[in-house]
Amino acid sequence: MTGTTSAPPSARTAPPLPTASAPSESTTSMVFLELQASLEVFSRELISQGAPAVLIEVRSGQQIWTSAAGVRSLEGGLPVESADPIVVGGVLRSMLAVSVLKLVEEGKAALDVPVSAYVPDLADQVAAGSEGPVGEVSLRRLLADSSGPDSSRWADTVLTRVVERLRGAALADVLRREVWGPLGLGSMALLDDAEAIPNLVHGYASTDGGTVDITETPAATNQSPPRLVSSAADVNTFQAALLAGRLLAPSGLLLMKGEVSADYGLGLDQWDDRCTNGNYYGHAGDLPGFGTITMSSADGNRQLTIAVASPPEPISGQPSALALELTNVAQVVLNSSCRFRFG
C-alpha cells in the first residue's frame, strides 16, 4: 500500500527509541557492550535525521545482540521489531551468485560464455550506460559488476533471467529450494513476487508533494531486478552459511570472494579485517528508500548487518551517501574488536 504525507509525521519528531535484546550469554565481553553502545548511538542519529526505521543484528561467537528503532510505516506508526522484514538491497547479488555458480558446478552454465547463449532475446538489448549489447556480456562480468546502482541493478536483472531460464522456474522458487529452505530463512521473500508480507518495514522518497511510500511501487522499467526482503538475523545466517561452505563447493566460494587484493569478487564485497589481517566479506545495498550493509569475518564468527529505511530523499540514479556511511560504520565497529578476544 502506498501513500503520501505532506508534512513529516510525529513519528519522526519523537521516534521510538531503539529497543535491544539481551546478549545470548550471561557473561558479555566489554567490547561487545562497547559495540552495542556505538551502534545504539548510530541508530539514534539516523532516526533523528529522518530515517523511519533502523534494524541491527551483531554476532560474535555465541553472543548475539539486536536493535530495532523507528516504525514499520509512517502511516501506521507501529514500532519496528528486530525480526521484521525489510528490503535488503545488494544481498540479492550474493544469492544470484550462489545460483549461477551452482549452475556452473552442474555444467549447465559457463562463466565466460555470453549471456545470449542462455537467453537469446538479450542478444540485441542495450542497457543504459553500456557500450554494447547486453547479450555479449559474460556471466563473470555481470557477477563482478559493482560500477554503480543503475548498472548493478541491470546486471541483477539479467542474472535473474539467466537463472530462471536455465532452471525453468521463477527466481523465488529457485532461491527457496537452494538457499532459503535449507537454511530455514523464513523471513526471506522477493517483494515483487510475494503476497502481502506481514510486518514489512516501509521505505519512502521525498517529492514536491511531500513524502511518498515507494516500498511496493512497481518497477518503472524492465531494468529493475526483484527486491529481496529479509530480517537482519536471516541475512547474517545466510552469510555465515555461505562462508562456512554450506552452499557452494570450495571453488565456487573462492570465486565469490575474489582475489585477496581486490575490492569485489563474484557477488561479494571485501574489506580489510584488521583483527586477522584478512578480509571481511558481505555486501552493501543501495535501493530507493533503503540502505543495507552486511559484513562478516572470513570464518563467520563476527558479523554485523544494518538495514535502514532511509531518510526520505528524491529518487536518483547516483549512489547514496548513506550506503557509504553504513559501510564505514560497520567496518569501524567490527575492527574495534581487535582490542579484545571475542567469545
Side-chain angles (χ1 to χ4, degrees):
M1 178 177 179
T2 60
T4 302
T5 55
S6 59
S10 59
R12 224 184 291 172
T13 57
L17 297 178
T19 58
S21 68
S24 57
E25 291 184 342
S26 56
T27 302
T28 305
S29 63
M30 285 300 298
V31 70
F32 206 70
L33 293 173
E34 291 181 12
L35 181 151
Q36 294 172 36
S38 297
L39 290 172
E40 284 182 336
V41 169
F42 179 65
S43 178
R44 290 172 189 266
E45 288 178 350
L46 283 178
I47 293 293
S48 70
Q49 293 167 12
V54 181
L55 302 175
I56 303 172
E57 190 196 73
V58 60
R59 301 182 183 184
S60 172
Q62 299 302 309
Q63 298 178 107
I64 300 175
W65 176 78
T66 63
S67 176
V71 292
R72 288 173 179 159
S73 73
L74 297 180
E75 293 82 8
L78 292 175
V80 290
E81 297 181 6
S82 59
D84 288 347
I86 186 171
V87 173
V88 285
V91 181
L92 178 66
R93 169 64 65 83
S94 299
M95 292 191 176
L96 285 168
V98 169
S99 291
V100 168
L101 290 170
K102 281 182 176 293
L103 288 164
V104 173
E105 288 176 10
E106 297 169 14
K108 297 177 180 178
L111 290 174
D112 296 311
V113 171
V115 296
S116 59
Y118 308 115
V119 186
D121 58 338
L122 289 174
D124 298 322
Q125 291 192 25
V126 178
S130 68
E131 297 179 356
V134 172
E136 297 178 0
V137 179
S138 68
L139 289 173
R140 186 188 301 274
R141 181 174 168 188
L142 289 169
L143 287 171
D145 190 308
S146 60
S147 54
D150 286 343
S151 178
S152 293
R153 289 168 198 157
W154 175 238
D156 287 350
T157 301
V158 175
L159 290 166
T160 295
R161 293 191 62 185
V162 170
V163 170
E164 291 182 333
R165 178 67 63 88
L166 293 180
R167 288 300 187 195
L171 181 62
D173 294 331
V174 174
L175 293 179
R176 191 174 294 109
R177 182 175 63 249
E178 296 181 345
V179 181
W180 305 342
L183 299 181
L185 306 180
S187 73
M188 287 199 176
L190 295 183
L191 179 63
D192 310 67
D193 301 327
E195 297 179 358
I197 299 174
N199 305 329
L200 179 66
V201 178
H202 288 236
Y204 299 83
S206 61
T207 68
D208 292 340
T211 301
V212 61
D213 185 335
I214 59 171
T215 310
E216 300 180 38
T217 302
T221 72
N222 63 359
Q223 296 190 14
S224 297
R227 289 165 292 175
L228 178 69
V229 301
S230 174
S231 66
D234 276 358
V235 172
N236 277 341
T237 298
F238 163 70
Q239 285 286 120
L242 175 62
L243 294 173
R246 293 174 57 191
L247 297 175
L248 287 173
S251 58
L253 180 56
L254 285 174
L255 286 170
M256 286 193 68
K257 289 180 175 180
E259 300 291 334
V260 174
S261 60
D263 293 326
Y264 197 84
L266 300 187
L268 284 174
D269 280 312
Q270 62 175 249
W271 304 270
D272 291 336
D273 180 354
R274 296 182 182 176
C275 299
T276 65
N277 291 323
N279 289 322
Y280 296 116
Y281 297 98
H283 217 293
D286 181 14
L287 289 176
F290 300 94
T292 308
I293 181 64
T294 182
M295 195 176 290
S296 298
S297 58
D299 60 4
N301 185 62
R302 289 172 293 120
Q303 295 186 280
L304 173 60
T305 292
I306 307 173
V308 178
S310 311
E313 59 183 25
I315 295 177
S316 169
Q318 299 302 313
S320 167
L322 177 61
L324 179 59
E325 184 179 8
L326 290 173
T327 301
N328 290 339
V329 166
Q331 193 170 6
V332 168
V333 167
L334 287 178
N335 279 335
S336 70
S337 67
C338 300
R339 294 175 295 122
F340 295 87
R341 185 176 181 177
F342 270 23

